[in-house]
Amino acid sequence: AQKVTQAQTEISVVEKEDVTLDCVYETRDTTYYLFWYKQPPSGELVFLIRRNSFDEQNEISGRYSWNFQKSTSSFNFTITASQVVDSAVYFCALISGGYQKVTFGTGTKLQVIP
Amino acid sequence: NAGVMQNPRHLVRRRGQEARLRCSPMKGHSHVYWYRQLPEEGLKFMVYLQKENIIDESGMPKERFSAEFPKEGPSILRIQQVVRGDSAAYFCASSPPSGENIQYFGAGTRLSVL
């Protein structure tokens, strides 16, 4: 069975602070994919990144970076120099075992205060 | 290239009525997925369809819910005899036939049952 845990329910930071959103996953499969999605207040889901289980290289995209560590089954997401527009709910998600259904975490609500 | 289109964005129904939610996948995508997001929760998989076929409906409630993806036209999620507990946001996602494991989401339909 697949499971994604986002232990942080809500985080508040002041603008320009760095913030890390934690994600821990569980799967018995050796091939899997990890994702992060952003859900702004308007409600849509925006794809941010996909990582496959064979690629542990960390990734940076502008102010966003992701740290994938198989040893701890974690796929953490860091926003550097946060901005008010980063305020949203962020979901970590998993596809594994050849199945196509995405297993989502419960989300972390990030509030960036000006 | 338009994204995944869902309509309506908001739907209000009284208990006992039927709700029909529509989803047009991205151009070139032949795989459609439906997810439900209850208030303050993450998204839960409902059903995975390809054209004219239901591939995985393990997340669908056994009664009152059905989904289709006809050869022509959008995918439809139908909820018969709605109850208050059906109030949620329903998201549709699509992916291409190439096996790329990224699902692109629509903006969702928010169903309110009075």
Side-chain angles (χ1 to χ4, degrees), chain A residues 33 35 37 39 42-45 47 50 91 95 99-107, chain B residues 9 33 35 37 41-43 45 48 56 58 91 100-107 110:
Chain A
Y33 297 84
F35 304 81
Y37 286 89
Q39 187 175 40
S42 49
E44 72 272 24
L45 273 171
F47 166 78
R50 178 189 71 168
F91 291 98
I95 287 178
Y99 298 106
Q100 291 300 313
K101 55 187 172 187
V102 181
T103 299
F104 283 87
T106 49
Chain B
R9 288 294 309 274
Y33 316 80
Y35 294 82
Q37 184 179 28
E41 292 188 16
L43 282 76
F45 169 82
Y48 163 35
D56 182 347
S58 58
F91 286 90
E100 177 186 318
N101 268 339
I102 300 175
Q103 294 181 16
Y104 298 91
F105 283 79
R110 276 142 189 86

Side-chain angles (χ1 to χ4, degrees), chain A residues 2-27:
Chain A
Q2 293 82 246
K3 186 178 179 182
V4 176
T5 302
Q6 294 180 256
Q8 303 151 308
T9 307
E10 288 191 44
I11 301 176
S12 288
V13 298
V14 177
E15 201 171 19
K16 295 186 182 153
E17 285 184 350
D18 299 348
V19 58
T20 295
L21 309 183
D22 297 333
C23 172
V24 174
Y25 62 92
E26 292 176 34
T27 178

Side-chain angles (χ1 to χ4, degrees), chain B residues 37-99:
Chain B
Q37 184 179 28
L38 294 170
E40 308 298 324
E41 292 188 16
L43 282 76
K44 295 283 197 292
F45 169 82
M46 298 181 75
V47 63
Y48 163 35
L49 310 106
Q50 295 178 17
K51 285 284 187 183
E52 299 185 281
N53 282 310
I54 296 174
I55 307 301
D56 182 347
E57 57 181 347
S58 58
M60 288 280 270
K62 293 287 183 276
E63 298 176 348
R64 302 187 298 107
F65 285 71
S66 62
E68 62 178 9
F69 188 17
K71 189 176 179 182
E72 301 290 338
S75 175
I76 306 287
L77 179 67
R78 184 183 291 110
I79 311 172
Q80 296 178 301
Q81 298 175 331
V82 296
V83 301
R84 289 229 172 97
D86 296 333
S87 296
Y90 292 83
F91 286 90
C92 171
S94 72
S95 65
S98 63

Side-chain angles (χ1 to χ4, degrees), chain A residues 42-87:
Chain A
S42 49
E44 72 272 24
L45 273 171
V46 179
F47 166 78
L48 295 178
I49 189 173
R50 178 189 71 168
R51 238 343 168 218
N52 75 55
S53 52
F54 300 108
D55 182 3
E56 281 194 79
Q57 207 168 13
N58 291 331
E59 181 155 340
I60 298 174
S61 175
R63 296 183 297 107
Y64 294 172
S65 62
W66 291 269
N67 184 349
F68 176 29
Q69 293 200 351
K70 288 176 78 169
S71 60
T72 55
S73 297
S74 65
F75 186 42
N76 296 339
F77 173 28
T78 297
I79 302 175
T80 303
S82 59
Q83 300 176 1
V84 173
V85 293
D86 296 328
S87 297

